[in-house]
Amino acid sequence: DAGVIQSPRHEVTEMGQEVTLRCKPISGHNSLFWYRQTMMRGLELLIYFNNNVPIDDSGMPEDRFSAKMPNASFSTLKIQPSEPRDSAVYFCASSSRANTGELFFGEGSRLTVL
Amino acid sequence: KNEVEQSPQNLTAQEGEFITINCSYSVGISALHWLQQHPGGGIVSLFMLSSGKKKHGRLIATINIQEKHSSLHITASHPRDSAVYICAVDPSGSRLTFGEGTQLTVNP
């Protein structure tokens, strides 16, 4: 398996623009997680899905952030409108079991909002 | 006080040394994860454990549930072990809480 695949790897955009980050989990994994990593706050869970259903989105910072998982092999994290403080590395991870399974991380998407 | 505290924050060692990184947490957990993040940024899961000890190659992870403490040991350290090591705990429902990480540098 190719592992968790994220795109884009790098994105530079201007404040106010819409940003869409994409993730393809490992086939057969039924849990998917979106994390954000910044120097100030470290790694934080934004949202996680189990069997394509959002279970916990309490980490989503505000209404500008939204995440979807239309099927078992694809998820998106959207920021609209983007702000400079959204600059971070966004990681997607998947697991075969939500709270007892090993996590497999993607390479991350580095977002810079100017 | 953070729910997850790691020590030390930074660690420099000579190749071949035995290394220990500690993680203390303040909440009840169902599992604890040790993650490795290389300079390129990618994150790899090293261990997930809920009791006892696990070993993988030169890496050993232990956990004491009663004392709310875990250690990650690296035997015969090598420069390629240089990375940030992150402890994360799972209180329940998959909401991982992360430590701030330990930056390890192993010099040849």
Side-chain angles (χ1 to χ4, degrees):
Chain A
D1 199 311
V4 177
I5 300 173
Q6 291 187 244
S7 65
R9 291 292 309 279
H10 302 273
E11 173 134 357
V12 180
T13 190
E14 292 187 343
M15 183 173 64
Q17 297 298 305
E18 178 179 293
V19 173
T20 299
L21 308 178
R22 298 172 178 80
C23 175
K24 182 180 187 306
I26 291 174
S27 177
H29 283 189
N30 59 2
S31 295
L32 182 140
F33 306 80
W34 281 102
Y35 294 97
R36 178 172 68 175
Q37 186 177 40
T38 61
M39 288 293 292
M40 291 295 293
R41 300 171 67 91
L43 273 164
E44 303 172 285
L45 176 68
L46 298 177
I47 185 171
Y48 97 88
F49 295 84
N50 197 40
N51 294 322
N52 312 340
V53 176
I55 302 300
D56 182 352
D57 66 354
S58 58
M60 296 286 264
E62 48 197 272
D63 291 345
R64 297 184 298 106
F65 285 68
S66 62
K68 294 182 179 180
M69 192 165 186
N71 57 62
S73 59
F74 184 66
S75 177
T76 59
L77 178 68
K78 187 173 293 188
I79 309 172
Q80 166 65 15
S82 59
E83 297 182 2
R85 60 191 166 124
D86 302 330
S87 298
V89 181
Y90 292 81
F91 286 99
C92 175
S94 70
S95 172
S96 58
R97 288 172 294 171
N99 59 354
T100 57
E102 181 182 358
L103 283 171
F104 293 82
F105 285 80
E107 293 291 314
S109 294
R110 181 175 295 276
L111 172 66
T112 302
V113 183
L114 303 174
Chain B
K1 188 180 188 301
N2 293 336
E3 288 183 335
V4 182
E5 295 207 340
Q6 289 185 232
S7 64
Q9 288 188 337
N10 294 282
L11 180 57
T12 300
Q14 288 300 120
E15 183 173 358
E17 286 184 0
F18 180 84
I19 288 163
T20 297
I21 299 170
N22 295 299
C23 176
S24 296
Y25 53 92
S26 57
V27 296
I29 65 170
S30 59
L32 181 144
H33 298 251
W34 280 103
L35 310 173
Q36 179 192 56
Q37 187 168 28
H38 274 282
I43 298 176
V44 175
S45 175
L46 298 175
F47 295 104
M48 187 191 69
L49 64 166
S50 55
S51 65
K53 179 169 79 172
K54 286 190 176 181
K55 184 176 188 292
H56 185 258
R58 295 179 295 107
L59 302 178
I60 303 167
T62 64
I63 188 169
N64 185 317
I65 295 294
Q66 287 73 30
E67 294 186 3
K68 293 186 168 60
H69 182 268
S70 175
S71 293
L72 176 68
H73 306 285
I74 305 175
T75 61
S77 59
H78 189 276
R80 65 173 176 266
D81 297 327
S82 299
V84 176
Y85 292 83
I86 302 169
C87 171
V89 300
D90 180 2
S92 64
S94 300
R95 184 164 197 82
L96 285 184
T97 301
F98 296 88
E100 293 187 353
T102 295
Q103 173 70 61
L104 171 65
T105 303
V106 181
N107 294 318

